[in-house]
Amino acid sequence: MRAYRAHRVFRSASVVKILIALDHLERSREADPRLGPMLRSSDDAAATALWRRGGRGAIVERMARRMGLTDTRPPPADKPGFWGYTALSAADVVKTYRYLLERARPEHRDVVLRELRRATRRGTDGYDQYFGIPRAVPKPWAVKQGWSGFGQGASGVVPGDLGLGRPVLHTTGLVGPGERYVVAVLTLQPAGTSYPTAAARITALTRQVCAL
C-alpha cells in the first residue's frame, strides 16, 4: 500500500453515499430504487431522502463502528442534514472499499459495485464526473466521486471546519484487473478554484498515484 497523509480529514462531499447505501442495504429487506441514481449519477435528492430515512448522522456512526473507521465522524451538530459535511480520510475510504469487497454480503456488494461501474459522465446536478480515476486509469473501474463548494465564496472559513468555504474534489474507487486495487485521492482546493482547474489537477495527481 502507498499512502500520503492518509489520515488527513476532509469533508466527504458525495463519497459518503457509499456509507449511506451500505447502511440502507444492511438494514432493509429490499433495495430502495433511489440507490441507483444516488451511486451512479450522484443524485443529491436521493441521498437526502435515504439520509433522513436512516437517521442522518446515525448512519455514519453505525458504519464507522462496523467498518472500524477511525477518522470518520458525522456532520457538525449544527448541520445534521448536511450529509456532505461528514468527515473522512483516505485511509477510511480504503477501509470502506475493503469492507465492500471482503465483508459485505455478496448481494449488497453486487448492488453497489454494479452502479459504481456504471458511473454516468455527468451527475444529476450537471457536473462532469469523469475526472481523476475515469480520466487517468483505463477500464475496468468502479468509482464514487465527490465535489462540493464550487462557485461559492470563501467567507466564514474557520480553521478546523473541514475547509468550509473552499472547494473539495475527490476521486475514489476500484481499478485494475479484477478491481483489485483501491484508489482514494481526496483534495481541498484553494478558494475560488474553478471546477475544470480542480478536475485537471486531481486527474494529474491520480495519474501520478496510479503510476507508482
Side-chain angles (χ1 to χ4, degrees):
M1 182 180 78
R2 298 182 183 273
Y4 175 73
R5 302 187 69 179
H7 292 280
R8 179 181 177 180
V9 172
F10 297 80
R11 71 181 187 274
S12 68
S14 290
V15 176
V16 73
K17 290 171 182 174
I18 299 176
L19 299 184
I20 296 173
L22 284 169
D23 181 79
H24 169 75
L25 289 167
E26 293 184 2
R27 297 175 63 248
S28 304
R29 292 187 175 182
E30 58 184 39
D32 189 294
R34 290 172 288 199
L35 283 177
M38 181 182 74
L39 291 171
R40 69 176 176 268
S41 299
S42 210
D43 188 279
D44 290 344
T48 297
L50 292 169
W51 179 252
R52 291 172 177 165
R53 179 175 172 178
R56 297 181 172 179
I59 294 171
V60 177
E61 293 171 346
R62 284 192 296 267
M63 298 310 293
R65 285 194 301 270
R66 188 168 301 137
M67 297 180 181
L69 308 180
T70 56
D71 303 316
T72 299
R73 61 181 184 270
D78 62 339
K79 295 178 172 64
F82 287 65
W83 41 260
Y85 287 4
T86 297
L88 50 67
S89 66
D92 279 357
V93 173
V94 172
K95 287 182 183 178
T96 298
Y97 280 104
R98 294 255 65 95
Y99 176 91
L100 181 61
L101 290 173
E102 298 167 4
R103 296 169 53 197
R105 294 176 61 175
E107 59 269 33
H108 298 165
R109 180 187 311 124
D110 290 346
V111 168
V112 174
L113 289 183
R114 179 179 67 243
E115 301 303 336
L116 299 189
R117 293 179 185 120
R118 298 168 59 203
T120 56
R121 173 65 183 269
R122 294 190 178 275
T124 55
D125 61 1
Y127 278 87
D128 188 347
Q129 292 198 102
Y130 279 20
F131 58 84
I133 293 170
R135 288 289 184 193
V137 182
K139 287 188 175 184
W141 42 250
V143 296
K144 186 70 205 80
Q145 312 284 65
W147 57 90
S148 173
F150 290 92
Q152 300 173 8
S155 60
V157 177
V158 177
D161 70 349
L162 300 179
L164 301 183
R166 291 174 60 186
V168 296
L169 194 65
H170 309 319
T171 185
T172 78
L174 304 175
V175 304
E179 297 171 341
R180 60 181 296 189
Y181 300 108
V182 182
V183 175
V185 182
L186 312 184
T187 67
L188 178 64
Q189 301 284 330
T193 301
S194 71
Y195 192 84
T197 296
R201 285 174 178 162
I202 197 171
T203 297
L205 182 56
T206 304
R207 286 196 179 100
Q208 293 176 27
V209 169
C210 293
L212 295 176

